[in-house]
Amino acid sequence: MRKRFLLIAGILLIGAVSLVACGKKSPSSPESEVTTEATESKDTEATTEDAQTTVATSETTEATTEPVDSGDVATKEDEEAKPETGTGTFNGWVDSGSVEVEMANGEYKTFFVYNEDVKKALNDKGEGSKITFTYGAKAGQANMQILSVK
């Protein structure tokens, strides 16, 4: 008798939960649009304040979130140009294929590292080390690549 009671109670519970879940109005139903409009009008002031905060916050990180301009992407001719020499402080790996370097002028730059010998040399020097390196463009990329480390 007890098993039968638990079975029936379980079925009723599952049925009730299913009805409650299916009975909710979807966001696209016409009845919910009236509620949404009322809620939106009440939250206008809060949304405006949030938007102002978001704008103020995004202004500080604007340089890192803007899309890359097609004029900033290296071409095959850029890749074939003579490499440049730079000095700076190796700040560490950004991911498995790129590093951050604080240049001698104080500017932070990210460089790709494709060569295994360069990766080993950077790991041997360690983060915070002063490095002198040659770098050049990589076709199709906005960031330069480190070609050698001294």
Side-chain angles (χ1 to χ4, degrees):
M1 184 74 169
R2 184 168 189 203
K3 287 183 183 179
R4 198 177 285 171
F5 174 76
L6 289 175
L7 178 64
I8 293 171
I11 291 172
L12 289 174
L13 181 63
I14 291 172
V17 170
S18 297
L19 286 175
V20 169
C22 292
K24 291 188 179 190
K25 293 179 175 48
S26 69
S28 62
S29 68
E31 294 86 16
S32 66
E33 289 178 16
V34 173
T35 306
T36 304
E37 289 173 8
T39 304
E40 287 176 0
S41 65
K42 290 179 185 176
D43 293 336
T44 302
E45 290 178 16
T47 304
T48 303
E49 290 174 11
D50 290 343
Q52 290 171 348
T53 304
T54 303
V55 169
T57 305
S58 66
E59 287 174 0
T60 59
T61 58
E62 189 173 313
T64 59
T65 59
E66 288 183 3
V68 175
D69 183 19
S70 61
D72 294 337
V73 177
T75 63
K76 199 67 169 165
E77 291 81 28
D78 294 331
E79 186 173 345
E80 293 169 357
K82 183 179 178 187
E84 298 178 39
T85 302
T87 58
T89 304
F90 170 58
N91 287 336
W93 292 91
V94 176
D95 56 30
S96 63
S98 57
V99 295
E100 181 184 77
V101 176
E102 182 180 359
M103 302 299 286
N105 64 3
E107 180 182 7
Y108 290 88
K109 287 191 173 185
T110 302
F111 293 93
F112 288 115
V113 181
Y114 296 111
N115 187 314
E116 291 299 322
D117 294 333
V118 173
K119 287 181 181 183
K120 184 177 181 331
L122 289 170
N123 284 330
D124 289 345
K125 293 209 177 266
E127 293 181 15
S129 299
K130 299 282 184 191
I131 59 172
T132 300
F133 57 98
T134 58
Y135 63 96
K138 176 72 173 165
Q141 300 293 329
N143 291 341
M144 300 285 193
Q145 67 175 327
I146 295 181
L147 302 170
S148 67
V149 177
K150 298 176 187 173

